[in-house]
Amino acid sequence: TAPAAPPAAQFPTGRIGKLAVSRLICGGNLISGFAHSRDLIYVSPLLKHYFTDEKVIETLGRCAAGGLNTMILRVDADTLRIVTKFCAQGGGLQWIAQVKLPSGDRWAEIRQALDAGAVGCYVHGGVGDSCAAEGRIDLLGEAVDFIRRQGVVAGIAGHNLAVHQACEQARLQPDFYMKTFNSKRYWSAGPMPRNDSVWEETPEETRNFMADVNIPWIAYKVLGAGAIHPEQGFRYAYESGADFLCVGMFDFQVAENVEIARRALAAARARPRAWCA
């Protein structure tokens, strides 16, 4: 384990509800073992072996030392155990939880996350996609209402732009949206049918639609599952209108990614969309 770096100057932040959130957010798919590694079937198990509890805590600590203040992680037994350990050691990152809406007790994951200290929750992108496809946007509205009643910020995610279009039409007004976004300029990016690396089918449509949406936007999958260099991916997302980026990072990538994101933010002056947060 490398020695902890001295804390850096705080990373630029924006507002989501009552929260000040760093414009670069530590994502959790790598930590959870979801690599979206195309046809390399060994990569996700490799991640689970690499990211021991100690390595996850080290990685989160590096994010905090780099000036970030927020992490987005799923809700499962591993995450709950690790978050508890991380917070017991001083933490330094606030947790926005990615939740599903299981049958039976629909709000179970939300309660688990809040009991473990989450400051916000959002509905998983796959759930958002299904709700939009099935005409169940009302369920997303119920989830937002329930989360807000617990006193924390509430968001909705989707891979398909139809999720956000339907939410805007229904005037759900969540505290934030999460929408996949990248240039789609990499060899495995399509056309459909997709492999598991393609999560932004219509970048131009996304950019144009979000330009008129006055709700904070957290962009994710901005590096196309590692197919796009951060120098390109970060700048493209910020300059296209994203307010925040959620990025999964290995421990050895954190310092470089933080510095690249600082430069990308400084360069993102001619945006088609005003900063919403």
Side-chain angles (χ1 to χ4, degrees), residues 10 67 71 139 172 184 251:
Q10 185 182 41
M71 56 186 175
L139 179 56
L172 296 190
K184 204 183 173 186
D251 51 314

Side-chain angles (χ1 to χ4, degrees), residues 111-195:
R111 294 192 186 94
Q112 286 181 298
L114 298 182
D115 287 346
V119 298
C121 297
Y122 73 92
V123 179
H124 182 284
V127 176
D129 293 345
S130 295
C131 286
E134 297 166 8
R136 290 301 316 274
I137 295 300
D138 60 305
L139 179 56
L140 299 181
E142 291 174 18
V144 167
D145 290 343
F146 180 83
I147 294 167
R148 280 185 173 150
R149 288 200 300 272
Q150 315 314 307
V152 301
V153 298
I156 296 171
H159 306 102
N160 193 322
L161 186 59
V163 177
H164 310 82
Q165 292 169 330
C167 288
E168 286 293 288
Q169 184 174 8
R171 300 183 180 179
L172 296 190
Q173 293 291 300
D175 294 306
F176 64 96
Y177 283 126
M178 290 193 67
K179 172 65 180 78
T180 48
F181 187 65
N182 62 61
S183 65
K184 204 183 173 186
R185 294 173 187 159
Y186 55 98
W187 72 267
S188 59
M192 291 289 279
R194 76 173 80 198
N195 62 33

